[in-house]
Amino acid sequence: LSEQFALVDGLVGDQPEAWDVAGALPRELLAKLGAAGILCAEVPAAFGGLGLSCGANGALTAHVGSHCSSLRSIMTSQGIATATIRRFGDKGQRSRFLGELTGGQLAAVAFSEPGAGSDLSAMGTSVVSEGDSVVVTGEKKWTTGARYADMLIVFGLDEHGLGAAVVVPVDTPGVHLEPVANPLGCRAAGHANVRLDAVRVPASHLLGGGGQALGMLFTTALSYGRMSVAWGCVGIVRACLDAATRHAATRTQGGVPLADRQLISRHLADLLVAEQVSTQVCEHAARSWTAGSPDQAVAAVLAKHVSAGHAARSAATAVQVLASAGSQDGHVVARAYRDAKLMEIIEGSNEICQLILAEHALSLAR
Ligand code: FAD
């Protein structure tokens, strides 16, 4: 992965602070990373992708996440979009849309609605076939990356009440984006609320012809998203560990480096434990995914839940160690503090993850 790491390092540099403060990522950066296949690196070479394994894509995601969670969020959305197209698209759809997405175009993924957050079964967006077209009507909220996207993968229900995922170019008449103002974290990730007013797209945009079980659509998309967020959290923890150890080793108070204070060294130990545990649980999930294990969906939930919790606690710890040195908007630990909290909400909140894990625990006990 050294080539991909170097490309990311070269293009990102020390700019995430400025992107966070400005609340925007440069479009040319996204186009370059997209065209280099970095944003959806698991897509096979046959579709123009890098064909990375789940574990290697995770390592790349963590690396991007250690620099900038806003950029990593774009990577997660692009990855969910391509995973959905790979799983549900027919041959022609895979060839066309995956080719576009490995060629530099961007996709955002729209599940959540004002009335359907944790409970996606309450989704009300309709995807109705009319001759050679599909008409999409509904409202989506907090769609990451929508402000930069060329296409949206919109999830909804067809006329029979079955699930449907449809590719909607954002310049189609009837698509209205309203940027989410002043998000708590991932401020440059381009979140937008989306209104779809009888948006008409060709029937060839309905993945696999529609008619899938809604739960199956969500499980595929969310499992990818959970893995990606989990690795992104590993990146956050690594950035916090790095910032806190450097600071504690060099900042002197009372005539000694902070690292010589036992209360501070305990923080450093906690950060190291968080980094190790998060990495291990993500690697376990990647192995389950690659092996096609029946537990792969639960392993993804476990990885996301554990890593997001460690990221949130590690960010708070790192801010504590750096104190005023890390207490300004844009600083790596200040960003981590705000960004990591949101990781406990997305792709299944803490509570939803706990419900799934508890159900799994009960199934094992039966
Ligand atoms: P609610 O569902 O209203 O939940 C509120 C609280 O109640 C939470 O603590 C929740 O855990 C708890 N709760 C809910 N139900 C239960 C239950 N049954 N048992 C116990 N507790 C429960 N959506 C997209 O479609 N695409 C995106 O790209 C996207 N990106 C996002 C990025 C960010 C930064 C954020 C903050 C959100 C994003 N979302 C996106 C929306 C996200 O998926 C939802 O915020 C999330 O699913 C939670 O839904 P909600 O906010 O409506 O909270």
Side-chain angles (χ1 to χ4, degrees):
L1 288 174
S2 54
E3 197 184 316
Q4 286 79 28
F5 277 35
L7 181 70
V8 170
D9 294 345
L11 288 173
V12 171
D14 59 1
Q15 300 174 89
E17 177 172 346
W19 298 338
D20 185 64
V21 172
L25 295 168
R27 281 175 191 267
E28 56 279 18
L29 165 88
L30 299 176
K32 277 185 193 158
L33 289 173
I38 301 281
L39 299 179
C40 50
E42 265 185 85
V43 173
F47 300 109
L50 298 178
L52 294 191
S53 68
C54 182
N57 186 40
L60 183 59
T61 306
H63 188 67
V64 173
S66 70
H67 281 297
C68 176
S69 286
S70 290
L71 180 57
R72 196 275 311 146
S73 300
I74 301 295
M75 197 175 175
T76 296
S77 296
Q78 186 89 339
I80 297 176
T82 52
T84 305
I85 293 165
R86 282 176 69 189
R87 173 74 176 78
F88 296 102
D90 61 28
K91 206 171 158 204
Q93 290 168 332
R94 288 200 297 272
S95 170
R96 175 182 168 187
F97 296 123
L98 293 177
E100 289 175 357
L101 293 174
T102 53
Q105 291 202 24
L106 292 178
V109 183
F111 300 99
S112 309
E113 301 182 359
S118 301
D119 177 17
L120 286 174
S121 69
M123 195 175 272
T125 294
S126 66
V127 179
V128 176
S129 295
E130 283 186 14
D132 291 343
S133 306
V134 170
V135 179
V136 188
T137 305
E139 227 179 300
K140 298 293 183 181
K141 69 174 184 184
W142 274 91
T143 308
T144 297
R147 271 164 49 201
Y148 310 120
D150 300 287
M151 62 182 85
L152 305 171
I153 310 296
V154 177
F155 289 79
L157 293 168
D158 68 12
E159 56 272 40
H160 310 294
L162 291 166
V166 60
V167 179
V168 176
V170 287
D171 58 1
T172 313
V175 176
H176 306 280
L177 300 188
E178 189 192 328
V180 173
N182 307 318
L184 171 68
C186 299
R187 288 183 175 167
H191 309 110
N193 297 322
V194 182
R195 209 176 73 243
L196 301 144
D197 282 341
V199 176
R200 188 174 290 272
V201 295
S204 60
H205 286 217
L206 182 60
L207 294 180
Q212 293 97 0
L214 200 58
M216 177 72 93
L217 281 175
F218 296 154
T219 303
T220 299
L222 289 175
S223 289
Y224 182 95
R226 285 166 180 157
M227 298 273 295
S228 182
V229 167
W231 281 107
C233 289
V234 169
I236 292 176
V237 175
R238 287 181 184 163
C240 290
L241 174 63
D242 183 57
T245 48
R246 280 172 195 273
H247 187 76
T250 52
R251 165 83 171 156
T252 303
Q253 278 298 278
V256 295
L258 293 176
D260 284 0
R261 305 289 185 189
Q262 288 183 331
L263 288 173
I264 294 293
S265 56
R266 182 189 177 177
H267 288 321
L268 303 184
D270 286 344
L271 286 165
L272 182 66
V273 169
E275 194 274 335
Q276 289 288 307
V277 170
S278 303
T279 302
Q280 300 288 331
V281 78
C282 285
E283 286 176 349
H284 167 72
R287 283 193 298 273
S288 300
W289 184 280
T290 302
S293 153
D295 286 347
Q296 60 178 285
V298 171
V301 172
L302 188 67
K304 190 269 176 188
H305 185 53
V306 170
S307 303
H310 277 302
R313 289 188 295 277
S314 297
T317 300
V319 172
Q320 195 66 29
V321 172
L322 273 84
S324 62
S327 296
Q328 273 180 294
D329 262 359
H331 189 283
V332 62
V333 299
R335 279 188 283 123
Y337 189 69
R338 291 186 276 98
D339 297 342
K341 182 62 215 170
L342 296 183
M343 300 307 110
E344 296 193 306
I345 294 170
I346 61 169
E347 305 296 337
S349 63
N350 279 355
E351 291 77 10
I352 296 303
C353 289
Q354 284 167 324
L355 290 174
I356 296 169
L357 294 173
E359 196 178 316
H360 183 65
L362 287 167
S363 77
L364 294 177
R366 270 180 213 125

